[in-house]
């Protein structure tokens, strides 16, 4: 009795694999879901149809650890894809596959339950068979008690009839599902003939073309408005409560060096790790000894140089790693220092360097603007100020801040419960109050910087080195394909 059950289980397992392939792999092969898989397994999404004259709403974000770009386009409802015959056919096939998949799951669960029942009744049947043999061979010994025992055994086996009836019904269902699968195969073959058969090389070429279009999309969508921050991703727990860590913001993707600076004042020791993995394991690093100690944690590495605030001064320093020397230093006129105008956590965080898609910035404040945050664009070669903006936001009330696409985003605290509370737009010299959730996992942030190359936030959080992915929002007008 168990052999037919095992055969049914094998059929169900095989058909489940088929339907799983059809529901998951089929749409991506024929382009139904508009998704291509990159070499590292990170999905990149893009809408391949032109929209009407309405604007596209586009969200872009990065995924770590390999920082692949994710571009999601939301087009107007009335798009040409809704009128595409093959898209409608494939959508109908997908719905059928989902229905078949659901039926398979139900059959599988029912078969498993009934199989367990049949296995449990095997011992009863063997006992009944044994008693029947004894009764047949010696009918004279068959008394009322023995007869009652046989009757009770038969009663216990009565539910088995319903189970077997269910198996008959399931067998008919399986036959119907097999017929559905054959019909689907025929429909797919017809669509494939209409679309043209793709071998592996052709499919690979289609993926490469899609990736190229996605990168072109990202070039057009280089900047956007911050709409979300991911959950924190802890890279390493090391060092003291305060410090900073970073990668070069403009280096090529092959350069994955990490710089590490523990502490917030009087430090001179900078560790340079060869790769992120080396940083995680604490191996393969070289040490740079700065000629001047630093103040605060607002340092950045930009194009092979470290920019930092010299301790007990408002002097900003550009230190070149390759030559191991100071390239230039300059006084940031009227800027507060030595905890005159720090962030709310203190730590000599008066002057904070930042880098975004537009270049190098300094965030600080002066007596003249009553302690409100000043944002200044700087020449990365000479350290001269190119232009400044008074944001009107008191720096001592800010937990930390960072710049994305020329917009300064400020957190309302450095402690637990912080959120991104304020945004100042340098392109329009305007501001707004925001309410973007920001999970401060370790409850004490002393460094927060955006890296435009990787589209992530680097954070030093109570002795933990943490990163966050960001999602940017864009609305663009299209006159043709992206």
């Amino acid at each position: 009795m168990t052999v037919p059950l095992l055969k049914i289980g094998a059929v169900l397992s095989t058909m489940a694999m088929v339907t799983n392939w059809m529901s998951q792999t089929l749409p991506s092969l024929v382009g139904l879901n508009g998704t291509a898989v990159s070499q590292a397994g990170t999905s990149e999404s893009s809408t391949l149809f032109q929209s009407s004259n309405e604007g596209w709403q586009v969200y872009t974000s990065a995924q770590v650890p390999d920082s692949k770009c994710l571009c999601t386009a939301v087009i107007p409802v009335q798009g040409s894809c809704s009128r595409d015959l093959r898209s409608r056919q494939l959508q109908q096939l997908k719905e059928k596959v989902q229905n078949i998949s659901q039926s398979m799951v139900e059959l599988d669960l029912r078969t498993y339950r009934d199989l367990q029942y049949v296995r449990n009744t095997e011992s009863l049947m063997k006992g009944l068979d044994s008693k029947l043999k004894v009764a047949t061979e010696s009918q004279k010994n068959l008394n009322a008690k023995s007869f009652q025992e046989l009757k009770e055994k038969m009663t216990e086996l009565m539910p088995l009839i319903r189970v077997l009836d269910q198996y008959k019904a399931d067998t008919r269902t399986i036959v119907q599902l097999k017929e559905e699968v054959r019909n689907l195969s025929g429909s797919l073959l017809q669509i494939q003939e209409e679309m043209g058969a793709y071998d592996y090389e052709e499919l690979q070429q289609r993926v490469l073309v899609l990736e190229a279009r996605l990168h072109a999309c990202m070039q057009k969508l280089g900047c956007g408005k911050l709409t979300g921050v991911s959950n924190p991703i802890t890279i390493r727990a090391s060092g003291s409560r305060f410090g900073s860590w970073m990668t070069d913001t403009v280096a090529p993707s092959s350069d994955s060096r990490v710089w590490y600076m523990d502490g917030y004042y009087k430090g001179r020791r900078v560790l340079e790790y060869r790769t992120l993995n080396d940083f995680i394991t604490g191996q393969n690093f070289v040490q740079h000894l700065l000629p001047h100690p630093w103040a605060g944690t607002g340092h950045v590495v930009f194009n092979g140089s470290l920019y930092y605030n010299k301790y007990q001064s408002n002097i900003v320093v550009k230190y070149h790693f390759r030559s191991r020397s100071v390239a230039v230093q300059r006084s940031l006129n009227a800027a507060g220092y030595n905890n005159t105008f720090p962030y709310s956590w203190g730590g000599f965080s008066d002057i904070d360097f930042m880098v975004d898609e537009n270049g190098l910035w300094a965030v600080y404040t002066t007596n003249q603007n009553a302690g409100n945050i000043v944002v200044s664009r700087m020449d990365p070669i000479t350290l001269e100020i190119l232009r400044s903006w008074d944001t009107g936001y008191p720096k001592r009330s800010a937990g930390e801040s960072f710049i994305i696409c020329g917009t300064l985003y400020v957190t309302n605290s450095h402690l637990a419960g912080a959120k991104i509370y304020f945004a100042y737009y340098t392109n329009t010299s305007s501001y707004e109050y925001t309410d973007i959730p920001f999970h401060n996992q370790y409850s004490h942030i002393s460094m927060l910087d955006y890296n435009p190359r990787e589209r992530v936030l680097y954070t030093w959080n109570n002795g933990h080195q943490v990163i966050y992915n960001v999602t940017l929002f864009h609305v663009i007008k299209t006159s043709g394909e992206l």
Side-chain angles (χ1 to χ4, degrees):
M1 184 174 295
T2 58
V3 174
L5 295 176
L6 293 175
K7 289 182 177 178
I8 291 175
V11 170
L12 288 172
S13 177
T14 302
M15 294 189 69
M17 287 191 291
V18 171
T19 54
N20 181 62
W21 175 86
M22 293 175 71
S23 62
Q24 295 185 13
T25 310
L26 166 64
S28 59
L29 285 179
V30 297
L32 180 63
N33 60 2
T35 300
V37 179
S38 66
Q39 294 177 352
T42 302
S43 65
E44 298 180 336
S45 303
S46 174
T47 305
L48 301 180
F49 302 93
Q50 294 184 25
S51 72
S52 61
N53 291 329
E54 301 177 40
W56 288 30
Q57 297 181 0
V58 184
Y59 295 83
T60 60
S61 61
Q63 295 182 355
V64 291
D66 45 6
S67 300
K68 292 291 183 180
C69 288
L70 179 65
C71 176
T72 304
V74 181
I75 66 172
V77 176
Q78 312 223 341
S80 58
C81 60
S82 62
R83 300 190 297 270
D84 189 275
L85 177 61
R86 288 175 297 185
S87 293
R88 290 202 302 271
Q89 289 176 327
L90 290 173
Q91 182 61 35
Q92 291 170 358
L93 289 176
K94 185 180 179 183
E95 291 173 359
K96 288 183 179 180
V97 168
Q98 290 173 342
N99 291 335
I100 291 176
S101 243
Q102 186 175 356
S103 299
M104 287 294 187
V105 170
E106 293 175 0
L107 282 172
D108 191 38
L109 290 174
R110 196 159 58 224
T111 300
Y112 177 78
R113 180 195 61 204
D114 294 343
L115 181 59
Q116 292 298 112
Y117 177 78
V118 171
R119 285 175 176 167
N120 293 336
T121 57
E122 282 183 347
S123 59
L124 291 175
M125 295 181 67
K126 289 179 181 177
L128 179 62
D129 184 59
S130 168
K131 289 185 177 295
L132 285 173
K133 286 182 180 179
V134 172
T136 303
E137 293 173 356
S138 54
Q139 296 183 9
K140 295 179 180 180
N141 296 330
L142 184 62
N143 52 32
K145 183 179 179 181
S146 299
F147 181 78
Q148 184 61 31
E149 289 179 355
L150 286 173
K151 189 175 180 181
E152 290 173 356
K153 295 289 185 184
M154 288 296 296
T155 302
E156 291 180 24
L157 288 173
M158 287 300 292
L160 185 60
I161 297 175
R162 289 195 298 271
V163 172
L164 294 177
D165 288 340
Q166 186 63 60
Y167 269 119
K168 293 178 183 178
D170 288 348
T171 302
R172 289 192 294 271
T173 302
I174 290 174
V175 171
Q176 294 172 358
L177 292 176
K178 289 172 67 176
E179 183 63 27
E180 284 287 334
V181 170
R182 278 195 292 268
N183 292 339
L184 287 174
S185 298
S187 300
L188 287 172
L189 182 61
Q190 180 181 355
I191 293 175
Q192 186 182 35
E193 289 175 352
E194 293 175 1
M195 297 177 67
Y198 299 106
D199 57 22
Y200 174 77
E201 287 75 14
E202 288 173 320
L203 286 173
Q204 188 179 39
Q205 186 61 34
R206 281 164 59 89
V207 169
L208 293 175
V209 170
L210 178 58
E211 286 182 343
R213 294 184 67 185
L214 285 170
H215 287 300
C217 167
M218 290 305 302
Q219 291 297 320
K220 289 189 176 183
L221 302 176
C223 273
K225 181 178 180 180
L226 180 69
T227 60
V229 177
S230 74
N231 286 327
I233 302 168
T234 302
I235 301 300
R236 184 182 175 189
S238 65
S240 64
R241 191 177 189 183
F242 314 97
S244 60
W245 72 294
M246 65 219 78
T247 59
D248 197 324
T249 50
V250 295
S253 57
S254 58
D255 185 350
S256 59
R257 288 176 295 171
V258 175
W259 285 270
Y260 176 86
M261 301 167 69
D262 190 10
Y264 66 89
Y265 76 109
K266 293 185 179 180
R268 296 175 58 196
R269 183 170 174 259
V270 181
L271 301 185
E272 176 187 312
Y273 291 86
R274 186 180 59 184
T275 64
L276 179 62
N277 188 63
D278 289 336
F279 172 68
I280 293 172
T281 59
Q283 299 175 342
N284 296 325
F285 64 86
V286 295
Q287 176 176 289
H288 300 270
L289 194 62
L290 300 178
H292 309 296
W294 69 69
T297 58
H299 331 298
V300 294
V301 175
F302 179 80
N303 198 23
S305 294
L306 173 71
Y307 296 78
Y308 71 97
N309 175 210
K310 183 180 177 181
Y311 179 59
Q312 289 188 327
S313 74
N314 60 7
I315 294 174
V316 291
V317 179
K318 176 184 178 181
Y319 176 83
H320 190 248
F321 283 117
R322 180 172 294 178
S323 65
R324 294 179 176 264
S325 63
V326 172
V328 63
Q329 57 181 330
R330 180 183 296 273
S331 176
L332 196 57
N333 291 332
Y337 62 95
N338 271 7
N339 277 333
T340 303
F341 299 113
Y343 291 120
S344 59
W345 65 272
F348 299 95
S349 56
D350 302 78
I351 299 173
D352 191 1
F353 282 104
M354 302 178 186
V355 174
D356 75 344
E357 291 79 359
N358 300 318
L360 180 67
W361 303 78
V363 170
Y364 56 100
T365 192
T366 67
N367 285 315
Q368 286 82 353
N369 67 341
N372 293 330
I373 292 177
V374 174
V375 181
S376 294
R377 276 282 311 277
M378 300 189 74
D379 186 318
I381 298 176
T382 65
L383 295 183
E384 292 179 350
I385 294 177
L386 304 177
R387 185 180 174 185
S388 295
W389 293 260
D390 184 347
T391 67
Y393 193 95
K395 191 164 185 287
R396 283 185 171 273
S397 298
E400 266 287 349
S401 64
F402 56 92
I403 289 181
I404 299 179
C405 299
T407 299
L408 178 74
Y409 295 95
V410 182
T411 65
N412 63 343
S413 174
H414 63 286
L415 302 173
K419 61 183 177 181
I420 298 170
Y421 179 73
F422 178 85
Y424 185 87
Y425 305 98
T426 60
N427 60 336
T428 58
S429 299
S430 62
Y431 70 89
E432 69 173 340
Y433 289 93
T434 60
D435 188 13
I436 301 174
F438 181 75
H439 181 36
N440 186 347
Q441 184 170 359
Y442 303 107
S443 305
H444 196 289
I445 290 177
S446 59
M447 168 255 174
L448 180 60
D449 269 332
Y450 171 67
N451 188 310
R453 183 185 71 165
E454 302 166 0
R455 284 208 167 164
V456 298
L457 298 175
Y458 279 72
T459 306
W460 189 292
N461 194 338
N462 211 355
H464 297 79
Q465 291 74 54
V466 180
I467 58 177
Y468 296 82
N469 294 319
V470 298
T471 298
L472 304 182
F473 173 71
H474 319 256
V475 176
I476 59 174
K477 298 293 183 179
T478 57
S479 58
E481 284 190 294
L482 287 176

